[in-house]
Amino acid sequence: MQRRNFIKNISLGGAAAAVAGGQSLSAYASTKKAGETFNLDYAPHFGMFKGHAGDDLMDQLKFMADQGFRSLEDNGLLGRPIEVQNKIGEQLEKLGMRMGVFVIDAGDNWKISLTTGKKEFVDTFVKVCKDSVEAAKRVNAKWATVVPGFFERNLPIGVQTGNVIEALKRGTEILEPHGLTMVLEPLSDTPELFLRTSDQTYAICKAVGSSSCKILYDIYHMQKNEGNLIFNMDKCWEEIAYIQIGDNPGRKEPGTGEINYLNVFKHIDSKGFKGILGMEHGNALPGKEGEQALIAAYRKADQFK
């Protein structure tokens, strides 16, 4: 599965996947007016508001800004033509928005298995890091996602970890001079992936020892893999540079699953977090109704002040 195609492939569900497990849309009533910015900096992705904004990416960005969102997340940025990257960067600047993560991806980054230590994988990773620096300049990006690849059953875990650390050091040598930070993301998509927990990622970041190698703490994945969200977030906080959102089960907007996002967002805010929280999830309901419900869900979860 190509990670950059995740958002395109994720199921949008249907009317049966009602917001908050069947709650009415009125349950998301907010005291804030439409268009006001949020307390935290949530970043939608392209396609999330096509019902309102249509297919044009610039129109989608304008709609996001009009709803009070201040950032964009675009996993597939590297796969876009350079002229489109430039347009995205220009529109973000015009709207006063920030760029969230894109993926350091050579087509299917899970197959660049840095755990193996194989030269061809490391060379590819280094090349894509160089390409990522140029793409980041076009959109003023500061963070890019890295997934080290699959767990290798024929190699001891310590050897795999060492291979990953050495490859990431090569990457940081390229990224650090340009102010671009790779954020390592532990995932729950398949148990075959090497990186799965926040403490494992924390240890690797400490070993790499660079300001350009930090943690992407995806709340959805971490709820599935380890739970105890606030405790684990606190223990790894000094290495967390980026956060992503998705409720569980279902990987939809806050309020559709078991995670108490009001408390989680309140805690993140109390830590003084000024970074971006990427909305890497699908819409629980289709069409304009689903988009309105999603925005209202964020208004509700953001009411911690």
Side-chain angles (χ1 to χ4, degrees), residues 51-185:
H52 282 87
D55 292 329
D56 185 82
L57 300 185
M58 303 308 111
D59 289 343
Q60 291 183 39
L61 278 172
K62 180 65 166 55
F63 180 83
M64 294 173 193
D66 287 345
Q67 303 311 305
F69 295 105
R70 293 172 283 151
S71 293
L72 166 76
E73 186 170 278
D74 186 21
N75 281 341
L77 180 74
L78 279 186
R80 300 189 187 279
I82 290 176
E83 59 269 23
V84 175
Q85 294 178 14
N86 285 329
K87 286 182 179 179
I88 291 171
E90 291 165 4
Q91 182 74 327
L92 288 172
E93 184 177 8
K94 179 180 178 181
L95 295 170
M97 296 176 70
R98 291 197 289 177
M99 182 68 196
V101 291
F102 63 95
V103 179
I104 293 181
D105 185 354
D108 189 341
N109 65 329
W110 290 358
K111 291 180 180 178
I112 307 176
S113 202
L114 303 180
T115 55
T116 65
K118 292 181 178 178
K119 184 178 184 298
E120 60 264 35
F121 289 146
V122 176
D123 288 347
T124 299
F125 174 65
V126 168
K127 179 184 181 302
V128 180
C129 283
K130 292 177 180 177
D131 294 340
S132 297
V133 166
E134 297 308 310
K137 291 176 182 177
R138 298 179 190 115
V139 296
N140 196 28
K142 303 301 181 185
W143 306 274
T145 306
V146 168
V147 178
F150 288 102
F151 182 84
E152 295 293 322
R153 296 184 181 278
N154 62 339
L155 286 177
I157 185 69
V159 173
Q160 294 183 65
T161 302
N163 289 339
V164 169
I165 290 167
E166 290 305 306
L168 296 180
K169 285 181 178 179
R170 294 277 306 278
T172 60
E173 290 173 359
I174 297 163
L175 304 180
E176 193 170 329
H178 300 279
L180 183 59
T181 299
M182 69 170 78
V183 282
L184 308 182
E185 183 176 12

Side-chain angles (χ1 to χ4, degrees), residues 23 38 44 64 139 207 230 249 266 269 302:
Q23 296 182 44
F38 297 81
M64 294 173 193
V139 296
I230 289 175
K266 180 179 180 179
D269 182 71
D302 191 63

Side-chain angles (χ1 to χ4, degrees), residues 225-259:
N225 281 359
E226 62 186 28
N228 209 7
L229 294 170
I230 289 175
F231 175 86
N232 287 322
M233 205 180 294
D234 279 349
K235 294 301 179 185
C236 299
W237 187 257
E238 64 185 83
E239 295 297 326
I240 294 175
Y242 198 94
I243 296 170
Q244 285 181 330
I245 303 160
D247 216 336
N248 180 60
R251 201 169 185 177
K252 302 298 191 292
E253 64 264 25
T256 58
E258 65 189 359
I259 301 173

Side-chain angles (χ1 to χ4, degrees), residues 2-79:
Q2 292 189 1
R3 179 165 178 76
R4 68 184 181 184
N5 290 333
F6 160 72
I7 295 298
K8 181 173 69 177
N9 294 333
I10 189 171
S11 171
L12 295 179
V19 175
Q23 296 182 44
S24 66
L25 298 184
S26 62
Y28 290 102
S30 171
T31 58
K32 281 201 171 187
K33 297 178 181 178
E36 288 188 44
T37 57
F38 297 81
N39 290 309
L40 293 173
D41 191 355
Y42 310 110
H45 55 79
F46 288 127
M48 186 166 266
F49 300 118
K50 284 177 65 173
H52 282 87
D55 292 329
D56 185 82
L57 300 185
M58 303 308 111
D59 289 343
Q60 291 183 39
L61 278 172
K62 180 65 166 55
F63 180 83
M64 294 173 193
D66 287 345
Q67 303 311 305
F69 295 105
R70 293 172 283 151
S71 293
L72 166 76
E73 186 170 278
D74 186 21
N75 281 341
L77 180 74
L78 279 186

